[in-house]
């Protein structure tokens, strides 16, 4: 039964491919996101840029906010729980959330253990900086992976680093001989059967999205050309000058990521992008939460 | 024979793989230029119908595709793709091409927790695996719409002329017969 449920959860992620998942903090933003062509929304009390600015402990959103957003849109609704906080996940499952993001954007609840996601019927997406981390999360039951680009910065450098690293590790595994995989599995701290899958198929066994720092249509297209199958946009939309127009442009950029002519058209007159913070200027590296 | 696959968003690569296994020439449609290439049939994949509809309009594919479907051009919609074909949607004000005389209900079974797999009987094919992901349900159909499959009394596959639709995702399982069924519609259309 678990296997069939897990398969269905991986398949929901397949339906989201080529799409944009947008962070929203209220019903009005959720509707703007849906109208702009988002394939799902992430219901949050504060977007990452504001979480970063506010400091302190950040937690799962109020269920009433999540329910209001579920009632307002027809697309899937996701929400975040703290790393290792399985009770927050139980609560979201009780709300029949469509996807749980066990996220480094919130303050971690556990500095050793992630949630045992196999105990849940609802799907989980988790962040990963490298292949080992991605395979560990998949082994715990994640049915979708995303990069761990630095949230709330508008700086794409970390998402690029994670996506490039994962892709190059995949290419390297493909080139190894089968008997070398046992040792590699030890190095990656990831189970052998998942390493073998990557060796045979040249990809992760689940859908892999880009997340963190996407602020422009060009950022989104860059991540797609680097191998992302879709894009999460957090602060990039509702921290910009014209959220609706920017949201639509990023949606189109993800579909036509390989078409510079269309990218040029949709990048015109978008108003001000979110004010970014450079990687070197930030004190708190959220990507270092959870390994 | 050359099949176009609408690739604005969703599980289009899965359809591509099915057609590759069937050794049929296919290509992805991401914009108007792609759409204007010669083709004999088109597949509308699963994904989010709201996102696809928005882009069909923005990329100016909506009207030319609609008039082509109305003129009898073969089309196969799965899940969101079938929602795009439906004349009426009972629980949403948005409408797609409205070329098939059915009323459909979006997310009819509920949220992701209600997604399921089963095996069902498909007219003239037999038992096929069926995967329903936040699936819609055909609530009613006009007389010239043929019902091809039902699950628990609900309509899950339909055909009207050269339009074929399923509320489930044949592209997610490894049974090629529903795609073959569509390719037969395309063959007949070409030979006419």
């Amino acid at each position: 039964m678990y296997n069939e449920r897990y398969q269905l959860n991986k398949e929901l992620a397949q339906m989201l491919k080529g799409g944009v998942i947008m962070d929203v903090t209220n019903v009005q933003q959720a509707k703007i996101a849906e109208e702009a062509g988002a394939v799902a929304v992430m219901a949050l009390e504060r977007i990452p840029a504001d979480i970063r600015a506010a400091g302190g402990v950040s937690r799962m959103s109020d269920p009433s906010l999540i329910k209001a957003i579920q009632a307002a849109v027809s697309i899937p609704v996701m929400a975040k729980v703290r790393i290792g906080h399985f009770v927050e996940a139980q609560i979201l499952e009780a709300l029949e959330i469509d996807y749980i993001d066990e996220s480094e954007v919130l303050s971690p609840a556990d500095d050793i253990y992630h949630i045992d996601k196999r105990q849940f019927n609802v799907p989980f997406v988790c962040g990963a900086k490298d292949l080992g981390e991605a395979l560990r999360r998949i082994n715990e039951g994640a049915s979708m992976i995303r990069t761990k680009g630095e949230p709330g910065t508008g700086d794409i450098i970390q998402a690029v680093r994670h996506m490039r690293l994962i892709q190059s590790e995949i290419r390297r595994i493909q080139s190894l001989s089968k008997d070398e995989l046992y040792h590699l599995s030890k190095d990656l701290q990831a189970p052998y059967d998942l390493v073998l899958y990557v060796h045979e198929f040249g990809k992760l066994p689940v859908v892999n999205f880009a997340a963190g720092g996407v602020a422009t249509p060009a950022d989104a297209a860059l991540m797609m050309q680097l191998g992302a199958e879709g894009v999460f946009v957090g602060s990039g939309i509702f921290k910009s000058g014209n959220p609706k127009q920017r949201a639509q442009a990023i949606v189109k950029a993800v579909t036509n990521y390989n078409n510079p002519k269309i990218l040029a058209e949709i990048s015109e007159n978008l108003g001000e992008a979110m004010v970014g913070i450079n990687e070197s200027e930030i004190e708190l590296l959220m990507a270092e939460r959870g390994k | 024979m050359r099949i176009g696959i609408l690739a604005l968003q969703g599980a289009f690569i899965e359809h591509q793989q099915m057609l590759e296994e069937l050794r049929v020439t296919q290509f992805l449609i991401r914009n108007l230029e792609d759409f204007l290439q010669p083709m004999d049939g088109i597949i509308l994949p699963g994904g989010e119908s709201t996102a696809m509809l928005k882009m069909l309009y923005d990329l100016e594919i909506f009207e030319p595709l609609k008039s082509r479907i109305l003129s009898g051009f073969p089309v196969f919609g799965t899940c969101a793709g079938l929602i795009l074909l439906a004349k009426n949607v009972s629980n949403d004000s948005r409408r797609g091409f409205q070329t098939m005389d059915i009323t459909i209900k979006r997310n009819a079974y509920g949220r992701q927790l209600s997604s399921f797999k089963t095996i069902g009987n498909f007219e003239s094919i037999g038992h096929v695996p069926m995967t329903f992901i936040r699936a819609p349900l055909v609530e009613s159909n006009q007389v010239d719409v043929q019902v091809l499959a039902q699950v628990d009394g609900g309509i899950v596959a339909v055909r009207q002329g050269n339009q074929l639709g399923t509320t489930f995702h044949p592209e997610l399982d490894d049974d090629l017969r529903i795609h073959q069924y569509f390719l037969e519609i395309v063959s007949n259309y070409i030979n006419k």
Side-chain angles (χ1 to χ4, degrees), chain B residues 43-79:
Chain B
I43 292 179
L44 314 178
E48 284 303 320
S49 59
T50 51
M52 287 188 220
L53 190 55
K54 161 84 184 145
M55 268 188 289
L56 281 166
Y57 276 113
D58 285 359
L59 296 163
E60 296 171 353
I61 301 172
F62 186 88
E63 287 302 333
L65 178 51
K66 180 174 177 166
S67 46
R68 247 168 131 163
I69 297 171
L70 282 172
S71 74
F73 189 70
V75 56
F76 177 22
T78 61
C79 194

Side-chain angles (χ1 to χ4, degrees), chain A residues 44-107:
Chain A
L44 282 167
E45 278 176 25
R46 280 198 291 239
I47 57 174
D50 292 335
I51 291 175
R52 187 177 286 285
V57 175
S58 55
R59 311 177 177 89
M60 177 190 81
S61 298
D62 185 328
S64 69
L65 171 76
I66 294 167
K67 279 155 76 178
I69 290 173
Q70 281 176 323
V73 297
S74 65
I75 53 181
V77 177
M78 304 183 165
K80 291 184 193 290
V81 299
R82 286 178 265 177
I83 290 174
H85 206 314
F86 52 85
V87 173
E88 285 186 346
Q90 290 164 3
I91 292 170
L92 290 185
E93 184 168 62
L95 297 175
E96 298 193 16
I97 200 80
D98 291 302
Y99 241 99
I100 294 176
D101 184 4
E102 186 181 18
S103 176
E104 69 282 3
V105 174
L106 305 182
S107 308

Side-chain angles (χ1 to χ4, degrees), chain A residues 175-196:
Chain A
S175 71
L176 293 180
S177 71
K178 247 182 173 171
D179 61 346
E180 291 170 323
L181 299 179
Y182 298 101
H183 182 76
L184 184 78
S185 157
K186 195 174 66 180
D187 276 354
L188 288 177
Q189 299 177 51
Y192 172 77
D193 59 331
L194 292 177
V195 173
L196 181 65

Side-chain angles (χ1 to χ4, degrees), chain A residues 20 214-217 220 231 233 237 245-254:
Chain A
V20 181
V214 175
T216 66
V231 172
V233 188
I237 289 172
Q245 207 187 338
R246 185 165 293 267
Q248 290 174 0
I250 292 177
V251 166
K252 270 190 243 171
V254 168

Side-chain angles (χ1 to χ4, degrees), chain B residues 10-72:
Chain B
F12 47 85
I13 291 168
E14 288 77 354
H15 279 290
Q16 198 175 25
Q17 286 161 350
M18 300 297 268
L19 294 183
E20 274 170 9
E21 273 188 61
L22 289 164
R23 298 175 188 284
V24 173
T25 312
Q26 41 71 30
F27 66 102
L28 299 178
I29 300 170
R30 296 182 187 274
N31 49 55
L32 186 60
E33 205 182 319
D34 295 338
F35 174 77
L36 295 173
Q37 290 186 49
M39 59 175 164
D40 304 304
I42 186 168
I43 292 179
L44 314 178
E48 284 303 320
S49 59
T50 51
M52 287 188 220
L53 190 55
K54 161 84 184 145
M55 268 188 289
L56 281 166
Y57 276 113
D58 285 359
L59 296 163
E60 296 171 353
I61 301 172
F62 186 88
E63 287 302 333
L65 178 51
K66 180 174 177 166
S67 46
R68 247 168 131 163
I69 297 171
L70 282 172
S71 74

Side-chain angles (χ1 to χ4, degrees), chain A residues 17-275:
Chain A
K17 282 186 304 181
V20 181
I21 299 167
M22 300 181 193
D23 279 1
V24 297
T25 59
N26 56 46
V27 166
Q28 189 205 356
Q29 288 182 355
K31 286 184 172 164
I32 292 175
E34 184 179 43
E35 280 161 24
V39 291
V41 290
M42 178 76 71
L44 282 167
E45 278 176 25
R46 280 198 291 239
I47 57 174
D50 292 335
I51 291 175
R52 187 177 286 285
V57 175
S58 55
R59 311 177 177 89
M60 177 190 81
S61 298
D62 185 328
S64 69
L65 171 76
I66 294 167
K67 279 155 76 178
I69 290 173
Q70 281 176 323
V73 297
S74 65
I75 53 181
V77 177
M78 304 183 165
K80 291 184 193 290
V81 299
R82 286 178 265 177
I83 290 174
H85 206 314
F86 52 85
V87 173
E88 285 186 346
Q90 290 164 3
I91 292 170
L92 290 185
E93 184 168 62
L95 297 175
E96 298 193 16
I97 200 80
D98 291 302
Y99 241 99
I100 294 176
D101 184 4
E102 186 181 18
S103 176
E104 69 282 3
V105 174
L106 305 182
S107 308
D110 193 319
D111 53 6
I112 300 174
Y113 300 106
H114 278 72
I115 296 172
D116 177 5
K117 293 166 275 288
R118 296 181 187 231
Q119 302 305 317
F120 290 81
N121 286 317
V122 289
F124 281 80
V125 54
C126 286
K129 299 185 295 294
D130 54 46
L131 186 62
E133 200 173 335
L135 297 181
R136 286 194 292 280
R137 296 295 88 77
I138 293 165
N139 190 41
E140 292 158 2
S143 46
M144 180 176 183
I145 291 293
R146 56 168 176 76
T147 59
K148 258 173 138 179
E150 204 48 37
T153 60
D155 189 356
I156 197 70
I157 186 168
Q158 297 223 2
V160 167
R161 194 181 289 149
H162 303 162
M163 189 56 74
R164 276 198 182 273
L165 181 57
I166 289 176
Q167 301 296 349
S168 85
E169 286 180 292
I170 289 175
R171 285 191 295 272
R172 192 179 142 248
I173 289 191
Q174 280 185 285
S175 71
L176 293 180
S177 71
K178 247 182 173 171
D179 61 346
E180 291 170 323
L181 299 179
Y182 298 101
H183 182 76
L184 184 78
S185 157
K186 195 174 66 180
D187 276 354
L188 288 177
Q189 299 177 51
Y192 172 77
D193 59 331
L194 292 177
V195 173
L196 181 65
Y197 181 96
V198 174
H199 172 72
E200 281 178 355
F201 296 94
K203 63 186 192 73
L204 292 180
V206 303
V207 166
N208 186 16
F209 268 47
V214 175
T216 66
D219 289 346
L222 173 68
M223 294 312 299
M224 293 297 287
Q225 289 197 27
L226 287 173
E229 295 177 280
V231 172
F232 283 86
V233 188
S235 317
I237 289 172
F238 290 102
K239 274 283 163 189
S240 73
N242 189 343
K244 195 174 167 180
Q245 207 187 338
R246 185 165 293 267
Q248 290 174 0
I250 292 177
V251 166
K252 270 190 243 171
V254 168
T255 296
N256 281 290
Y257 65 89
N258 255 336
N259 189 322
K261 230 171 98 184
I262 291 181
L263 292 174
E265 278 166 32
I266 60 182
S267 298
E268 271 182 33
N269 298 317
L270 288 181
E272 214 162 318
M274 71 177 283
V275 179

Side-chain angles (χ1 to χ4, degrees), chain B residues 13-181:
Chain B
I13 291 168
E14 288 77 354
H15 279 290
Q16 198 175 25
Q17 286 161 350
M18 300 297 268
L19 294 183
E20 274 170 9
E21 273 188 61
L22 289 164
R23 298 175 188 284
V24 173
T25 312
Q26 41 71 30
F27 66 102
L28 299 178
I29 300 170
R30 296 182 187 274
N31 49 55
L32 186 60
E33 205 182 319
D34 295 338
F35 174 77
L36 295 173
Q37 290 186 49
M39 59 175 164
D40 304 304
I42 186 168
I43 292 179
L44 314 178
E48 284 303 320
S49 59
T50 51
M52 287 188 220
L53 190 55
K54 161 84 184 145
M55 268 188 289
L56 281 166
Y57 276 113
D58 285 359
L59 296 163
E60 296 171 353
I61 301 172
F62 186 88
E63 287 302 333
L65 178 51
K66 180 174 177 166
S67 46
R68 247 168 131 163
I69 297 171
L70 282 172
S71 74
F73 189 70
V75 56
F76 177 22
T78 61
C79 194
L82 179 59
I83 295 171
L84 292 176
L85 296 175
K87 183 140 283 174
N88 283 304
V89 185
S90 64
N91 56 346
D92 201 318
S93 57
R94 283 163 286 222
R95 296 288 179 274
F97 302 113
Q98 296 188 286
T99 49
M100 196 189 267
D101 290 316
I102 55 169
T103 296
I104 205 163
K105 185 182 183 188
R106 294 186 60 200
N107 304 329
Y109 303 87
R111 300 191 165 276
Q112 171 62 7
L113 277 175
S114 310
S115 292
F116 66 102
K117 286 176 186 282
T118 189
I119 289 173
N121 192 46
F122 195 100
E123 183 75 31
S124 82
I125 292 179
H127 285 85
V128 292
M130 297 178 173
T131 298
F132 295 86
I133 311 267
R134 286 171 48 91
L137 186 64
V138 178
E139 290 186 317
S140 65
N141 57 304
Q142 298 290 323
V143 278
D144 46 355
V145 177
Q146 188 189 355
V147 174
L148 298 175
Q150 287 182 296
V151 168
D152 296 331
I155 301 168
V156 299
V158 282
R159 176 179 177 179
Q160 181 174 21
N162 290 334
Q163 300 179 67
L164 176 67
T166 61
T167 63
F168 57 94
H169 295 277
E171 73 276 20
L172 292 179
D173 291 296
D174 49 14
D175 195 311
L176 298 167
R177 289 176 294 170
I178 297 178
H179 282 78
Q180 275 170 326
Y181 184 98

